[in-house]
Amino acid sequence: MHGAAVSLAKKVKSHPSTPDLFLVSDMLDLSVFIALCGPMYAHIPTLLYFHENQLSYPWSPTDEDTIYKRDRHYAFINYTSALVADRVCFNSAFHMDSFLSELPSFLSAFPDHQEVENVDIIRAKSQVLPLGVEFREQKAHVQQMLSKPTILWNHRWEYDKNPSAFFRLLTRISQEGIDFSLILLGESFQKIPPAIQTGLEVLKDHIIHQGFVESRSAYQRWVWQADVLPVTSRHDFFGLSVVEAIGAGVYPLLPNRCAYPEHIPAEWQSEHIYTTEEELYLKLTRFLRSPKAPHPQLQEHVHAYKWQMLKGRYDALFQQIAANAGE
């Protein structure tokens, strides 16, 4: 977040052509980038896309930045970049609302010149632009090989994804004699916490796959074999792995927080959205005793994120920003 602006500005200035638009992510210090590009590029409009942000992203209690009380300069970079950008896009409504809601208190913590009114300036040029997702062949097109209901984990094994709650839930269900298979995908902790190591040992007879897979096709084959996705994450600005699983026909059980409710039609939220861990336990055990396919409307809902459906919105927005800059 510090060095990228220096390196990218150097590359832009050495390139033979002049762009019509700078499309940058939240990982760039846009203020520094524009300053280093110089006057020749000052007329080029900028679109800042927030895939995540450092203001409302939860820190792990074991993170050194938390332990040593790192200042919040990375959040300040997100703030100044949004202030400088001509247009600001977020990957979900939850993401946009959480960032803009936390900005006033963040700025109010400064001793003077808090400029809280700048939040309204950023809000006025902000909008939601979902990720474009590449859905592969549908689960219905492949033959199911597993006889037991199969539970899926397809996220990073990190603090914000709350794997401890996931293993606590499955350990309880296993100890009650309910049978299931378990697919564990995703990159894992460098050092697995003792509670999760214990959970892996308790659940070893259920696990049919554990660990990261290198190829996209191998990952998709495992997702296709899954029946149900109980999500315990504390945080997701969009939830790409969740959307992919729903799009592949996996039955979702999602917490009533973050961006997850955006991925379930209102009329189906009582079935697929939970509030407490106990409610998740009840919904999951009910499913494992009587598995069923999700309603087709769920797949149709997330298929609105298909890149083929969204690319026209992206193109139209880019063209609009570029045209407005020339006026």
Side-chain angles (χ1 to χ4, degrees), residues 140-265:
H141 295 169
V142 297
Q143 183 179 2
Q144 288 295 90
M145 303 297 294
L146 306 178
S147 57
K148 306 172 188 175
T150 302
I151 297 171
L152 174 67
W153 169 283
N154 65 333
H155 330 284
R156 290 179 289 105
W157 291 40
E158 296 292 350
Y159 166 79
D160 60 309
K161 304 305 179 189
N162 203 11
S164 297
F166 180 83
F167 282 100
R168 184 166 59 246
L169 169 71
L170 266 57
T171 297
R172 177 183 176 184
I173 291 174
S174 176
Q175 290 172 342
E176 292 178 359
I178 301 173
D179 203 6
F180 58 88
S181 296
L182 178 58
I183 296 171
L184 299 170
L185 297 167
E187 293 181 288
S188 62
F189 291 101
Q190 292 181 344
K191 183 179 180 182
I192 299 177
I196 295 177
Q197 287 181 327
T198 301
L200 289 170
E201 179 62 26
V202 170
L203 299 170
K204 63 182 180 181
D205 292 337
H206 297 278
I207 299 172
I208 58 175
H209 174 82
Q210 177 182 331
F212 181 78
V213 290
E214 294 295 335
S215 73
R216 172 74 177 171
S217 58
Y219 166 82
Q220 195 65 62
R221 282 196 298 272
W222 284 115
V223 172
W224 282 333
Q225 293 186 69
D227 296 300
V228 60
L229 179 76
V231 174
T232 55
S233 299
R234 294 186 177 95
H235 189 81
D236 239 330
F237 284 123
F238 179 77
L240 176 59
S241 63
V242 172
V243 168
E244 288 177 329
I246 297 172
V250 183
Y251 189 95
L253 293 172
L254 311 179
N256 189 22
R257 55 178 176 260
C258 308
Y260 302 124
E262 298 177 45
H263 305 323
I264 304 294

Side-chain angles (χ1 to χ4, degrees), residues 119-134:
V119 178
D120 289 333
I121 295 175
I122 295 171
R123 180 179 287 107
K125 56 184 175 181
S126 295
Q127 68 182 82
V128 176
L129 185 63
L131 290 179
V133 182
E134 246 186 27

Side-chain angles (χ1 to χ4, degrees), residues 12-13 16-23 30 33-47 84-87 318-327:
V12 165
K13 293 169 74 173
S17 63
T18 301
D20 298 302
L21 171 70
F22 286 129
L23 170 63
L30 184 56
F33 173 76
I34 291 173
L36 290 174
C37 282
M40 281 186 60
Y41 298 88
H43 67 285
I44 299 173
T46 55
L47 188 158
V84 166
D86 293 295
R87 192 70 62 92
F318 297 162
Q319 290 169 1
Q320 180 193 56
I321 298 170
N324 289 345
E327 293 178 355

Side-chain angles (χ1 to χ4, degrees), residues 9 11 13 19 22 47 53 81 90 92 99 118 122 131 146 225 242 245 261 268 280 308 312-313:
K11 288 188 175 183
K13 293 169 74 173
F22 286 129
L47 188 158
N53 77 82
S81 294
F90 294 85
S92 70
F99 180 75
N118 286 337
I122 295 171
L131 290 179
L146 306 178
Q225 293 186 69
V242 172
W268 293 98
L280 172 60
Q308 291 298 319
R313 283 178 59 183

Side-chain angles (χ1 to χ4, degrees), residues 242-310:
V242 172
V243 168
E244 288 177 329
I246 297 172
V250 183
Y251 189 95
L253 293 172
L254 311 179
N256 189 22
R257 55 178 176 260
C258 308
Y260 302 124
E262 298 177 45
H263 305 323
I264 304 294
E267 60 268 35
W268 293 98
Q269 290 194 1
S270 61
E271 181 175 336
H272 295 279
I273 301 290
Y274 70 89
T275 302
T276 65
E277 285 191 22
E278 185 64 20
E279 188 182 355
L280 172 60
Y281 160 77
L282 293 172
K283 287 180 181 291
L284 182 56
T285 52
R286 189 182 304 124
F287 178 89
L288 294 175
R289 290 189 174 107
S290 182
K292 61 179 180 178
H295 194 279
Q297 189 179 356
L298 266 65
Q299 286 179 275
E300 294 170 10
H301 187 77
V302 298
H303 283 171
Y305 300 130
K306 282 183 177 180
W307 176 241
Q308 291 298 319
M309 304 282 286
L310 284 174

